[in-house]
Amino acid sequence: MQTAMIEQQLELRLASRMSRLGTETAFVVLARARELEKQGKKIVHLEIGEPDFDTPSNVVEAAVDALHKGWTHYGPSAGLPQLREAIAEYVSRTRKVQVAPEEVVVVPGGKPIIFFSILALVDEGDEVIYPNPGFPIYESMINYLGGKAVPIHLQEENDFALDVAELASRITDRTKLIIINSPHNPTGGILTRKDVTEIAEAIGDRNIMVLSDEIYSRLIYEGEHFSIMSLPGFKDRTILLDGFSKTYAMTGWRMGYGVMRADLATHMTRLMTNSNSCTASFTQIAGVEALRGDQSSVDKMSNEFRRRRDAFVVGLNKIKGFSCRMPKGAFYVFPNITRTGWPAKKLADALLEEAGVACLSGTAFGAFGEGYLRFSVANSLENLNQALAQIQDWAGKNLR
Ligand SMILES: Cc1ncc(COP(=O)(O)O)c(C=O)c1O
């Protein structure tokens, strides 16, 4: 048979589910900021959520050494045994619950645990409860995989903690999964032991899984981190997500993990075999060093983020139309900008294009993010002060 000549580009026949796939706007804003920089504009980058520090040198050395020693091959899909063991030990110690290596699945970054949890558990029409504003990938993945997205509105008056009464009212017979995130992106809110206990009580003895996103667990400035996995009866109903990206400034290494009941871990491992085969072997050897080696860099980073948070929040509160609570964890501040009279997206765009400050609209984190902006304080104090001065100047000229 002769192949017909193709003169026009053929229509791209995408699967219909692609129309339901969301995105993470931080990467879109970063691309636009880079474009402006190419045109010669100076931009202060407060959009992307990654530590500005280098990966601790002991971790880098461990990876280099691993490369020289030949850790350059495929490894087991669930992760190298020595890393699964180090993670099990770390999680057992920090969450005060006994975790075995078979309950750990190592993946390339924290994100795949979100994707895999929903893939593994949620059938078409199953309901998934999640925070809004919240990390945009939750909503994107729920919609993409045909689940019914059931948002819980996190309110500023509650210090952005989850309203347990609202959660209780949203649970139905179709609820399959509840996603919680503490410390929280984008608000910096945290769930206290009391909050987490009340959430557990609201779930009661229902057979509902909880995806507990604890990727910022080591970046906490008030109180202590408390995981729902620590509560009696919840170990088997929790998928704990944590990783190396934020704690050890390893965003580009792509390494995270999930901790879950062993039978579910087997299914997640099969998803790994089907998608990635395994996480890079030499990075996993470095991961063992990250968890077991000197931890002083984590404290140093955390103290520095606290100092910047303090200064940035004070500065923002001096700007016309901005009012900002002191976030308790992570490295984001989430000011209320309703008194500027501007919609969040329009304001974020203007700050980038006209004030040279890249930040994110609260709506990048869901519809309930309207009225807020998110700034990452993972930048130097000098740059943060520069951003404040530029926003102040812009506000003086543009806000009445
Ligand atoms: C709440 C939350 N969960 C998960 C992730 C994903 O982290 P990773 O870069 O390790 O995939 C992020 C990253 O920004 C996050 O903010």
Side-chain angles (χ1 to χ4, degrees), residues 27 50 95 155 201 394 398:
F27 290 97
E50 68 171 342
R95 274 60 170 205
Q155 313 254 14
E201 282 165 6
W394 181 91
N398 294 279

Side-chain angles (χ1 to χ4, degrees), residues 24 49 109-112 114 135 138 181 185 213 215-216 241 245-246 254-255 332:
E24 193 180 349
K111 256 181 191 166
I114 301 170
F135 189 48
Y138 307 144
N181 169 218
N185 178 11
D213 185 341
I215 197 122
Y216 298 100
L241 179 165
S245 298
K246 318 287 176 175
R254 308 313 300 140
M255 186 164 48
Y332 305 112

Side-chain angles (χ1 to χ4, degrees), residues 317-333:
N317 278 322
K318 291 185 183 150
I319 298 174
K320 202 188 300 180
F322 283 65
S323 83
C324 188
R325 281 178 183 245
M326 195 58 86
K328 294 179 176 148
F331 40 62
Y332 305 112
V333 301

